[in-house]
Amino acid sequence: METQNNTFNDFELDDLRQQIKDLENKVNAQGRLNEELVKKAIQGKMRGVHGIILKLGILALLCIPFYIMMKYQVGLSWPLTIFTIVFLLASVTSDYFINRIDVSHMGDDLVGTAAKLVKMKKNRVIGQRISICVAVLWLAWFCYEYFMLNSVYGTNVAWASLIGIFVGAVVGGLIGLRIFNKMQRANDEMIDQINDFTSEND
């Protein structure tokens, strides 16, 4: 009788161990699934950011031949033209390096990815401040030359041209600020997703 009880208890223990093992496997599988979802989510957001950077880069590069054409039509100086070209190329290059990250491996190390995203945000702010300072300098230089060149047609024409340029610059700046905020929000969302996941699994 005692042997039967021991056998029955052993059977219950084996069954309990199997249930615990199945539960652990289920929890581990759920954890891997959640991690995969987080990984795909942040990869998708980062691809969106890279898409924005690519479009801005193409637009900036297209501005170079347009500006050179305008230089000959209006008579802008070569120093301003060279400054403009260098500024545009520097903007494209800095955007590339600031936002450079291997999307395919994002999420392999979630903590490391979060650190890179935080650094990206900080560098993007620094780059934005530098770009604004240089853009203000460029705009002042451009407006001065444009005003002097158009003043031969009359002061009213020159001022009208400058007002149009200023309005265009303000609109362009607001669009640029909106794009900047959109990319920063994308970084915040990715960081929050990683922090939420890692805090749940601590």
Side-chain angles (χ1 to χ4, degrees), residues 108-158:
D108 291 348
D109 175 15
L110 289 175
V111 175
T113 299
K116 289 178 181 178
L117 291 171
V118 170
K119 183 178 180 181
M120 186 185 296
K121 274 192 65 182
K122 292 180 180 178
N123 289 339
R124 199 180 284 147
V125 170
I126 295 171
Q128 180 81 345
R129 290 174 179 173
I130 294 173
S131 294
I132 290 174
C133 292
V134 177
V136 169
L137 174 62
W138 174 86
L139 184 62
W141 189 354
F142 178 85
C143 287
Y144 171 76
E145 284 200 12
Y146 199 86
F147 182 83
M148 296 304 293
L149 290 168
N150 281 273
S151 60
V152 295
Y153 303 108
T155 305
N156 291 336
V157 173

Side-chain angles (χ1 to χ4, degrees), residues 16 139 179 199:
L16 183 59
L139 184 62
I179 293 172
S199 62

Side-chain angles (χ1 to χ4, degrees), residues 9-131:
N9 289 335
D10 290 341
F11 177 77
E12 283 185 326
L13 287 173
D14 289 340
D15 186 53
L16 183 59
R17 289 192 190 99
Q18 186 61 43
Q19 289 180 18
I20 293 173
K21 186 175 181 181
D22 291 341
L23 182 60
E24 287 177 346
N25 291 336
K26 187 176 180 181
V27 170
N28 290 334
Q30 187 67 30
R32 287 193 295 271
L33 177 62
N34 289 339
E35 185 173 359
E36 191 65 25
L37 290 174
V38 171
K39 183 177 178 179
K40 287 183 179 178
I42 61 177
Q43 286 176 341
K45 284 186 173 65
M46 198 64 229
R47 287 192 182 95
V49 171
H50 281 177
I52 294 173
I53 296 300
L54 178 62
K55 291 174 184 177
L56 291 175
I58 292 173
L59 180 62
L61 293 176
L62 289 176
C63 285
I64 294 176
F66 173 78
Y67 186 88
I68 292 175
M69 181 180 66
M70 185 173 64
K71 175 250 186 303
Y72 284 108
Q73 288 181 344
V74 180
L76 298 168
S77 68
W78 271 111
L80 177 58
T81 302
I82 294 171
F83 182 84
T84 304
I85 294 172
V86 171
F87 175 46
L88 290 171
L89 291 176
S91 296
V92 173
T93 304
S94 65
D95 282 343
Y96 170 76
F97 281 105
I98 288 172
N99 297 281
R100 184 178 58 173
I101 190 170
D102 188 354
V103 177
S104 62
H105 291 290
M106 284 183 71
D108 291 348
D109 175 15
L110 289 175
V111 175
T113 299
K116 289 178 181 178
L117 291 171
V118 170
K119 183 178 180 181
M120 186 185 296
K121 274 192 65 182
K122 292 180 180 178
N123 289 339
R124 199 180 284 147
V125 170
I126 295 171
Q128 180 81 345
R129 290 174 179 173
I130 294 173
S131 294

Side-chain angles (χ1 to χ4, degrees), residues 175-189:
I175 293 173
L177 183 60
R178 184 177 179 181
I179 293 172
F180 172 80
N181 289 332
K182 183 177 180 180
M183 291 192 293
Q184 293 294 75
R185 278 198 308 272
N187 271 54
D188 287 335
E189 290 170 1

